Amino acid sequence: MNVTYEHKPAMTLIGFSASIRPEEGYWKCPEFWDKEYNQKYARLWQTMQPETPVEKALLENGIGLFAICDEHEGSFDYWIAGLYQGGEVPEGLKLYSFPESDWAVFSARGPLPGSLQTLNTQVWQEWYPGEGQKYQGNGSATLEVYSPGNPQSPDYQCGIWVPIRQPEGQSEQEAAETVSTMTITGIL
């Protein structure tokens, strides 16, 4: 498992979401991509000429290059998103902002959804119980990051970013209690 630690500025993403129970994540998230994302992009893929405000936002903001997993009690909102470039937020889309933060950045290579799901399991079953205990979560959401290209290729690259902060003056036990708010993604 590849992990680097990087500082990133605040970022706002735009996208659409569905509420998913953690135990359903490994089949409901790919289903959401297949149904909602493909439906929104179907005509646009053929022409690359947006005809609706949603199609314009999809194209201008690169919606589909990110997914957000935002935890809630007993579920998480799963977003298909892109980096917001400004302008109109069409009906059916919404914004999500991450503060300036340090991030644990994990990467994987291989066809989706298997490569990302394997990485997700490694992050929450290997990194989090060990090295991850040194950090506090910085919010309740994580990011999935997708590269352009064929998501079924054995060389396809994707990643998971976990916003973190080094706790000041906290013991590792106190930090672990704070970071535990990030574990819902690991139950998937």
Side-chain angles (χ1 to χ4, degrees):
M1 173 176 45
N2 298 324
V3 61
T4 59
Y5 296 93
E6 301 177 17
H7 187 81
K8 299 193 180 292
M11 63 181 118
T12 299
L13 290 95
I14 182 172
F16 51 96
S17 66
S19 182
I20 297 175
R21 292 192 329 251
E23 65 274 9
E24 297 177 333
Y26 277 177
W27 88 79
K28 288 285 189 178
C29 293
E31 184 179 275
F32 185 58
W33 280 93
D34 288 344
K35 182 180 177 192
E36 296 298 324
Y37 181 74
N38 290 341
Q39 179 183 6
K40 285 178 176 37
Y41 256 115
R43 197 207 58 76
L44 189 57
W45 280 326
Q46 296 171 5
T47 66
M48 297 309 283
Q49 299 294 319
E51 292 181 358
T52 68
V54 169
E55 287 180 346
K56 183 178 181 199
L58 288 167
L59 198 57
E60 289 178 352
N61 298 287
I63 295 176
L65 293 177
F66 297 93
I68 304 167
C69 298
D70 185 19
E71 297 180 42
H72 301 285
E73 184 73 31
S75 69
F76 65 97
D77 288 340
Y78 186 76
W79 292 58
I80 297 174
L83 197 56
Y84 181 57
Q85 302 299 313
E88 180 184 353
V89 178
E91 185 176 335
L93 300 180
K94 52 191 175 179
L95 301 177
Y96 190 97
S97 293
F98 285 95
E100 179 177 353
S101 184
D102 291 325
W103 294 76
V105 176
F106 303 88
S107 60
R109 182 181 302 266
L112 293 177
S115 61
L116 187 74
Q117 290 176 351
T118 297
L119 179 62
N120 187 65
T121 299
Q122 290 174 331
V123 166
W124 299 109
Q125 291 182 2
E126 295 174 22
W127 174 81
Y128 172 72
E131 188 173 339
Q133 295 295 311
K134 299 175 188 174
Y135 302 97
Q136 290 181 342
N138 194 7
S140 63
T142 60
L143 270 180
E144 296 173 0
V145 181
Y146 302 97
S147 65
N150 178 359
Q152 296 308 303
S153 167
D155 293 324
Y156 186 76
Q157 295 182 22
C158 60
I160 295 175
W161 296 1
V162 179
I164 58 170
R165 62 179 176 238
Q166 183 70 40
E168 293 182 29
Q170 278 193 333
S171 70
E172 285 191 21
Q173 175 62 32
E174 290 169 322
E177 289 170 9
T178 304
V179 174
S180 68
T181 63
M182 300 186 322
T183 60
I184 193 167
T185 307
I187 302 171
L188 298 174

